[in-house]
Amino acid sequence: SLPRSLPRSPRSLPQSPRSPGGSRVKTRSQDELFPREELRMQWTKLRRAGSGLANLGNTCFMNSVLQCLVHTPALAELLLSGRNLAHKPAAHGELDPIGMTKRLVEDSLEGKKSVVSPVQHAKSLKR
């Protein structure tokens, strides 16, 4: 399940317990999607600007939101990390927003195209 509410500032985040040696122990509460120690707020490597997004007919506002998501270090690094983020695999034909955003981030930041098409996102809005 998703967290009921998000902390308003980093100071309000609970501290992870320390092991007897003093290092942080990775713990995960029921409300966390993943331990906060795994969240990368900076890019792990220097990246070029991502690919542009094709306008699929009145998708410019959607594209601007997707560009913001693609270029948000914490989200992009998580999606590029190779971790399995799905709680359960999407069934054939089932909407998979995490998977389609992961593919868009990969195509945009690691692909060779100057323009990528967010067709899966556009189709999901028409459902």
Side-chain angles (χ1 to χ4, degrees):
S1 69
L2 295 174
R4 288 184 273 304
S5 66
L6 296 174
R8 294 197 182 270
S9 71
R11 289 184 205 144
S12 64
L13 292 171
Q15 292 293 315
S16 297
R18 292 186 180 267
S19 69
S23 62
R24 295 259 183 225
V25 176
K26 289 186 179 182
T27 59
R28 183 175 161 186
S29 76
Q30 250 183 334
D31 292 341
E32 285 182 317
L33 296 175
F34 52 90
R36 72 183 176 109
E37 291 83 7
E38 295 178 18
L39 185 63
R40 303 287 174 245
M41 297 304 287
Q42 305 285 329
W43 295 106
T44 57
K45 69 179 186 177
L46 186 62
R47 297 186 181 278
R48 65 174 180 79
S51 303
L53 299 178
N55 189 328
L56 304 173
N58 293 325
T59 62
C60 54
F61 290 112
M62 178 192 74
N63 287 359
S64 65
V65 170
L66 291 173
Q67 284 286 15
C68 289
L69 294 174
V70 166
H71 291 90
T72 300
L75 178 61
E77 290 292 337
L78 178 64
L79 293 173
L80 293 171
S81 72
R83 291 188 50 179
N84 180 14
L85 301 173
H87 290 291
K88 63 180 180 92
H92 180 70
E94 188 175 67
L95 183 63
D96 181 16
I98 293 174
M100 71 173 110
T101 304
K102 179 180 179 179
R103 287 186 293 279
L104 183 69
V105 168
E106 290 168 347
D107 291 347
S108 182
L109 295 179
E110 296 185 336
K112 305 285 189 253
K113 297 178 182 177
S114 62
V115 177
V116 294
S117 178
V119 69
Q120 294 301 315
H121 288 85
K123 282 182 180 178
S124 73
L125 294 176
K126 293 179 181 178
R127 286 186 175 192

